[in-house]
Amino acid sequence: MEIDWKNLPFGYIKTDYNVRTYYRNGKWGSLELSSSEHVDIHIAATALHYGQQAFEGLKAFMGKDGKIRLFRWEENAKRMQNSARGILMAEVPTELFKKAIYKVVRMNKRFVPPYGSGASLYIRPLLIGSGAQVGVKPADEYLFLVFVTPVGPYFKEGFKPVNMLLTKEFDRAAPQGTGKYKVGGNYAASLTSMKKAHDEGYANVLYLDSKEKKYIDECGPANFFGIKDNTYITPKSDSILPSITNMSLITLAEDMGLKTERRKVEEEELSTFEEVGACGTAAVITPIKTIVDDATGKAFNYGDEPGVVSTKLYNKLLAIQTGDEPDKYGWIDIVE
Ligand code: PLP
Ligand code: COI
């Protein structure tokens, strides 16, 4: 099959291989290479019944020099360990995580989109409770697998401002719940609100904190940021996923001479931002054109074109990821 690299959606395309390993009797087994897209799973596995699972998302980029670059994979390894601790799963050691992602990328080199296509190879590590339990208890067996798939932009608009629905009707995560972990339950909890947003013509949902319904929280499958007075501002909350992209943008913004703040952001403050956007591995930077409050109908507008600061950050981040600019932060590892 010929892949149209320039028009890839953010979706699944079958590649040649995935890698897998099981945690049994208190230790991880060897890493297996598989060409099957399926797993054989116990009917009472905790992942199926009680949502004991976590995943990650990171990307590999083809450089002009023909080298494949991974972006900050160690942060994904750490975050997956944190998710595992959060819902009592066996942790995948960093070395095993590394071995798995390097192997799956190497074995699927022909699926790394070419330099300049705007696409990348999305890497999806997945950790699931595979052991049987009927009572609500953690499993004693786990499966860690990694597959890859070439992807284009998550929002079909690419680097074009989208509309977001600020919802007071739905919550994504509880203040002291699992919002800060990358576990499937959070995504299940977001489906209804996301469908409502899509049905009404919005790209995604902007959530408020679930307790007071006052502060900006997560932005669909991404973090939220706003720019004003030469400052990059992003919400501080215990129920959002600590985004590696956001963390990187904070560093880049500081280097560009912006001030940065991670603090609570009230809904009313939305009217004061010059630019706003969503950021994440899949979303990269997705500028936001309009935010509409589903309770009041109030709209916050930011213009039809990406803002100057968002554009600079976007270009800088991509240039580092593809190797067009030197990796002065040590964020890149080459897959030989
Ligand atoms: N928030 C949620 C809910 C996500 O699913 C993601 C994607 O991973 C992010 C934020 C962004 O995180 P990162 O930049 O590490 O991809
Ligand atoms: C990511 O940005 O890697 C995500 O996980 C987003 C999503 C497709 C869930």
Side-chain angles (χ1 to χ4, degrees):
M1 188 188 71
E2 279 289 302
I3 298 176
D4 182 4
W5 302 110
K6 284 205 154 71
N7 295 300
L8 272 180
F10 189 90
Y12 180 81
I13 289 178
K14 183 181 187 313
T15 59
D16 291 335
Y17 298 102
N18 55 81
V19 293
R20 305 146 181 232
T21 174
Y22 284 91
Y23 180 88
R24 290 188 178 120
N25 302 317
K27 57 178 196 302
W28 287 101
S30 56
L31 196 65
E32 294 160 27
L33 189 65
S34 172
S35 54
S36 165
E37 292 171 280
H38 298 269
V39 287
D40 187 27
I41 190 165
H42 195 288
I43 54 174
T46 60
L48 299 180
H49 297 261
Y50 305 128
Q52 215 193 6
Q53 70 91 259
F55 65 98
E56 272 302 325
L58 64 158
K59 283 175 172 171
F61 301 85
M62 182 63 79
K64 206 187 274 179
D65 54 7
K67 292 190 175 149
I68 302 171
R69 287 169 170 77
L70 289 174
F71 183 71
R72 306 195 80 173
W73 65 267
E74 266 182 285
E75 295 298 333
N76 295 89
K78 273 198 252 168
R79 193 169 64 188
M80 184 168 244
Q81 289 156 5
N82 198 43
S83 297
R85 283 193 293 274
I87 59 166
L88 304 184
M89 298 196 287
E91 287 177 39
V92 177
T94 304
E95 269 312 301
L96 177 58
F97 187 94
K98 178 180 185 185
K99 203 172 155 189
I101 57 170
Y102 273 66
K103 177 143 196 153
V104 74
V105 171
R106 273 190 202 115
M107 296 305 295
N108 290 293
K109 271 189 180 158
R110 70 187 186 99
F111 293 98
V112 182
Y115 173 82
S117 63
S120 55
L121 188 72
Y122 186 68
I123 306 168
R124 174 52 68 86
L126 175 70
L127 174 64
I128 67 173
S130 53
Q133 295 287 7
V134 179
V136 181
K137 285 192 274 256
D140 47 18
E141 280 189 22
Y142 292 87
L143 164 62
F144 172 56
L145 67 81
V146 188
F147 72 78
V148 293
T149 190
V151 295
Y154 189 77
F155 294 105
K156 63 178 187 315
E157 295 82 353
F159 191 62
K160 278 271 170 61
V162 300
N163 297 321
M164 292 286 175
L165 182 66
L166 183 149
T167 183
K168 286 182 174 152
E169 191 185 348
F170 296 99
D171 293 320
R172 170 185 169 273
Q176 282 159 295
T178 58
K180 57 182 169 296
Y181 307 125
K182 202 161 170 66
V183 298
N186 297 332
Y187 299 81
S190 72
L191 292 174
T192 326
S193 49
M194 244 177 235
K195 177 170 182 339
K196 177 185 163 188
H198 287 158
D199 287 351
E200 294 180 11
Y202 296 92
N204 221 300
V205 179
L206 185 57
Y207 296 98
L208 291 176
D209 76 283
S210 308
K211 192 171 173 186
E212 298 186 62
K213 295 280 193 186
K214 198 167 153 190
Y215 304 104
I216 304 300
D217 211 67
E218 198 69 292
C219 188
N223 279 182
F224 175 87
F225 70 88
I227 311 280
K228 66 174 175 185
D229 309 327
N230 200 40
T231 309
Y232 177 101
I233 299 159
T234 192
K236 185 173 164 62
S237 157
D238 282 338
S239 55
I240 64 180
L241 190 75
S243 157
I244 298 157
T245 312
N246 198 1
M247 186 166 81
S248 309
L249 293 178
I250 288 172
T251 302
L252 296 179
E254 280 171 0
D255 259 17
M256 284 173 185
L258 273 80
K259 288 187 281 252
T260 63
E261 295 174 4
R262 197 191 279 276
R263 59 163 169 80
K264 289 188 171 185
V265 177
E266 283 191 33
E267 180 185 346
E268 281 75 61
E269 195 179 350
L270 289 178
S271 63
T272 67
F273 289 120
E274 296 148 17
E275 301 175 30
V276 298
C279 63
T281 297
V284 193
I285 287 181
T286 302
I288 299 172
K289 180 161 53 178
T290 310
I291 298 172
V292 177
D293 180 321
D294 72 358
T296 62
K298 183 169 178 187
F300 303 90
N301 296 305
Y302 305 96
D304 291 341
E305 294 304 321
V308 179
V309 177
S310 302
T311 305
K312 259 175 89 173
L313 286 170
Y314 177 86
N315 289 336
K316 189 85 186 174
L317 179 67
L318 281 176
I320 293 172
Q321 291 175 329
T322 55
D324 284 353
E325 284 200 23
D327 170 33
K328 71 178 216 195
Y329 308 100
W331 288 346
I332 300 297
D333 283 296
I334 308 260
V335 180
E336 303 282 4

